[in-house]
Amino acid sequence: VQLQASGGGLVQPGGSLRLSCEASGRTVGINFMAWYRRAPGKERDMVAQIGSGGDTNYANSVKGRFTISRDNAKNMLYLQMNSLKPEDTAVYYCNAYLMGVGKGHYWGKGTLVTVSS
């Protein structure tokens, strides 16, 4: 499975961004997908997760502001980020968990989100 994230950039506090992640390769075995982020000087943390059936889970710091979604037909994962704060500044990574052959976590290259005035 290959994952390609896009949509990062510079945004002012209070603004919005939408991240996208395109999955390719052996996508039929993907179970849950997630967005993680690594802020400067910090470890990588889970931001939001979505199961194959659409069930979601969010980090407390983004609940009510971020929305994760997926389009299985298009092999796409999204993260709608609203009311962005400077502390949301990080490199955001797309993650997919594959079942069956090649079972395990797969990561895309990150996309940088900078929230600053």
Side-chain angles (χ1 to χ4, degrees):
V1 175
Q2 293 80 46
L3 302 170
Q4 181 65 53
S6 61
L10 174 64
V11 62
Q12 293 187 342
S16 298
L17 276 179
R18 188 194 196 204
L19 304 184
S20 300
C21 175
E22 181 178 10
S24 60
R26 191 177 176 277
T27 59
V28 67
I30 292 177
N31 189 346
F32 61 84
M33 300 185 76
W35 289 97
Y36 283 71
R37 68 185 180 187
R38 186 195 302 271
K42 296 186 177 181
E43 295 184 352
R44 186 164 55 187
D45 293 322
M46 193 275 288
V47 175
Q49 184 180 77
I50 185 167
S52 57
D55 49 308
T56 58
N57 184 38
Y58 295 91
N60 288 333
S61 59
V62 306
K63 282 182 180 178
R65 300 188 299 122
F66 290 12
T67 302
I68 189 171
S69 61
R70 64 193 286 180
D71 185 332
N72 292 329
K74 296 181 179 180
N75 296 316
M76 294 292 296
L77 176 71
Y78 305 101
L79 185 68
Q80 178 66 44
M81 304 186 294
N82 299 328
S83 303
L84 282 161
K85 304 175 181 180
E87 50 264 42
D88 294 318
T89 295
V91 177
Y92 285 72
Y93 298 89
C94 176
N95 170 269
Y97 186 78
L98 185 69
M99 301 294 290
V101 175
K103 180 179 180 180
H105 286 277
Y106 290 79
W107 296 90
K109 293 182 179 180
T111 184
L112 176 63
V113 173
T114 303
V115 185
S116 175
S117 55

